[in-house]
Amino acid sequence: MSQFEQVSVIKKANIYFDGKVTSRTIVFADGTKKTLGIMLPGEYEFGTDTKEIMEIQAGELSVLLPGTTEWLQINGTGEFTVPANAKFKLEVKTATDYICSYIAE
Amino acid sequence: MSQFEQVSVIKKANIYFDGKVTSRTIVFADGTKKTLGIMLPGEYEFGTDTKEIMEIQAGELSVLLPGTTEWLQINGTGEFTVPANAKFKLEVKTATDYICSYIAE
């Protein structure tokens, strides 16, 4: 499926790191949310509130998941999951297009 | 209205200028489209196919509309219209959050 249907889109962007990371929030009929975002090259640390599933649609980046010491490499497409209330690090090498799903537990 | 409701969102981002300009396409029930985008600081020239209405939700930028010699300044919010099949220039000074509406004539 190349698009999400019958969703609401929040007009205002989410802007982080001077705009090097930005996203748009979409809300589904059941109240769940996703963000569709872009990360430009740089090093970032993020924290989660809920569990997050990050789907990389395009890009080249490395991910250090919480509790691990090995960087996960993604070139092109990929996916990783971050538990709730955790921190993870990213080294983004090319403009990266992602979808983040927030999973209530 | 702070959100667009009952729309489809194309998953893949539109990425221009190495990611310094990116947007997401949303499609309304009547088939019309808008893009919700971010422009990072830089100088850009864009061309239109249809008439476009650009709503600036946040940002600081200057706009040179086709056929004009005076730069329009926008600080914060603003709006400008570009005719179909025209070129316009932007000097973006801060990360800028915009909504572009494509108007068939």
Side-chain angles (χ1 to χ4, degrees):
Chain A
M1 193 179 64
S2 65
Q3 60 186 39
F4 295 114
E5 295 180 356
Q6 294 199 303
V7 297
S8 297
V9 180
I10 309 299
K11 287 185 180 180
K12 283 259 182 185
N14 310 305
I15 301 181
Y16 310 99
F17 299 106
D18 286 331
K20 292 179 77 180
V21 178
T22 60
S23 70
R24 303 281 169 180
T25 303
I26 65 174
V27 185
F28 291 79
D30 64 3
T32 59
K33 290 182 183 180
K34 294 184 196 291
T35 52
L36 284 72
I38 296 286
M39 297 183 289
L40 296 186
E43 299 184 9
Y44 310 105
E45 184 173 61
F46 295 100
T48 62
D49 293 320
T50 67
K51 179 178 168 181
E52 296 183 6
I53 299 174
M54 282 282 284
E55 178 191 344
I56 305 301
Q57 301 194 95
E60 187 177 334
L61 70 164
S62 300
V63 184
L64 187 64
L65 291 172
T68 69
T69 55
E70 289 280 328
W71 289 78
L72 167 69
Q73 311 293 325
I74 295 176
N75 295 298
T77 62
E79 188 175 292
F80 58 91
T81 300
V82 188
N85 304 308
K87 289 182 190 240
F88 64 106
K89 291 183 181 176
L90 296 176
E91 287 182 5
V92 176
K93 288 148 198 165
T94 66
T96 293
D97 183 7
Y98 72 86
I99 298 172
C100 183
S101 301
Y102 302 88
I103 312 297
E105 290 178 296
Chain B
M1 194 179 64
S2 64
Q3 61 186 39
F4 295 115
E5 295 179 358
Q6 294 200 305
V7 298
S8 296
V9 180
I10 309 298
K11 286 184 180 181
K12 283 259 182 185
N14 310 305
I15 302 181
Y16 310 100
F17 300 105
D18 287 329
K20 292 180 74 179
V21 178
T22 60
S23 70
R24 303 280 168 179
T25 303
I26 65 175
V27 185
F28 291 79
D30 64 3
T32 59
K33 290 183 185 181
K34 293 184 196 293
T35 51
L36 283 72
I38 296 285
M39 299 184 289
L40 296 186
E43 299 184 8
Y44 310 105
E45 184 172 63
F46 295 99
T48 62
D49 293 320
T50 67
K51 177 177 167 181
E52 295 183 7
I53 299 174
M54 282 282 283
E55 177 190 346
I56 305 301
Q57 301 194 95
E60 187 177 334
L61 71 164
S62 300
V63 184
L64 187 64
L65 291 172
T68 69
T69 55
E70 289 279 329
W71 288 78
L72 167 69
Q73 311 294 325
I74 295 175
N75 295 297
T77 62
E79 188 176 293
F80 59 91
T81 299
V82 187
N85 304 308
K87 290 183 190 233
F88 64 105
K89 290 183 182 178
L90 296 176
E91 287 181 7
V92 176
K93 289 147 197 165
T94 66
T96 293
D97 183 9
Y98 71 87
I99 298 171
C100 184
S101 302
Y102 302 88
I103 312 296
E105 291 177 296

